[in-house]
Amino acid sequence: VRVIQKNHFDKYVIAINSNWKWYFDIVLLIASTFNSFSQGFFAAFGNPTWWLSIFVEWVTEILFGFDMCFCFCQEYNDVETYMKITEIKKIAKNYLKRGFLFDALAIFPFDFFILESMPHYPYARLFKLFKLLRVPRLFALLKVDKI
């Protein structure tokens, strides 16, 4: 009999069919839709000046930060074997190879660092377009079997 040693962190794996994650994904879908339109608008016409828009933008960034953390520990189905992968190291390695770079570029506050350091640079607000790297995440959330 072979005993498989499980990692201590494997108990933190989020199940694919988790109810709370499903609700979180619905909220993230709404935030992704808002984000896709607002970032293009802000890149074209400048940063928002009204407090509600700034608040919604920060809440959206926080939601995507949580989602990025959740992606490191959410089980997935292997594309080759169709087996459910529940080991935290394999999940994290898969996320690092597939989607982490785009999520990291989308969540990094380029506009804060660039606009604060070069306020008169005319194209600095175009860095907001990095937020559009979240659009593939929007399509992943639109899977019919999840909704």
Side-chain angles (χ1 to χ4, degrees):
V1 176
R2 183 175 175 212
V3 177
I4 298 174
Q5 181 74 23
K6 288 208 130 210
N7 192 336
H8 172 69
F9 294 106
D10 285 344
K11 64 182 176 184
Y12 298 112
V13 172
I14 302 170
I16 291 175
N17 55 359
S18 173
N19 284 337
W20 71 268
K21 183 65 166 91
W22 184 82
Y23 290 119
F24 181 79
D25 284 346
I26 295 298
V27 171
L28 200 63
L29 178 67
I30 295 166
S32 295
T33 305
F34 168 77
N35 191 266
S36 298
F37 290 108
S38 67
Q39 295 306 319
F41 181 82
F42 296 149
F45 299 109
N47 284 331
T49 55
W50 56 96
W51 68 270
L52 182 62
S53 178
I54 295 169
F55 175 75
V56 170
E57 187 174 350
W58 275 100
V59 168
T60 304
E61 293 299 316
I62 291 168
L63 285 173
F64 277 106
F66 278 122
D67 181 55
M68 197 165 130
C69 294
F70 293 154
C71 285
F72 276 108
C73 51
Q74 183 174 0
E75 61 185 24
Y76 69 96
N77 291 324
D78 189 20
V79 293
E80 294 176 2
T81 63
Y82 300 107
M83 298 283 294
K84 191 182 297 186
I85 306 299
T86 59
E87 295 176 43
I88 198 83
K89 285 183 181 180
K90 287 183 180 179
I91 293 170
K93 191 181 294 186
N94 180 57
Y95 178 57
L96 284 171
K97 283 196 285 188
R98 296 190 186 262
F100 176 74
L101 179 65
F102 295 114
D103 288 347
L105 285 173
I107 204 167
F108 188 78
F110 285 107
D111 54 338
F112 177 74
F113 289 110
I114 301 297
L115 290 175
E116 294 297 322
S117 64
M118 298 183 291
H120 302 295
Y121 183 62
Y123 301 111
R125 67 179 182 218
L126 292 179
F127 283 97
K128 284 197 161 289
L129 294 177
F130 274 113
K131 304 290 182 199
L132 294 179
L133 290 171
R134 294 180 180 147
V135 171
R137 179 74 175 133
L138 174 67
F139 289 121
L141 290 171
L142 284 174
K143 286 184 180 177
V144 177
D145 61 339
K146 290 182 88 172
I147 300 174

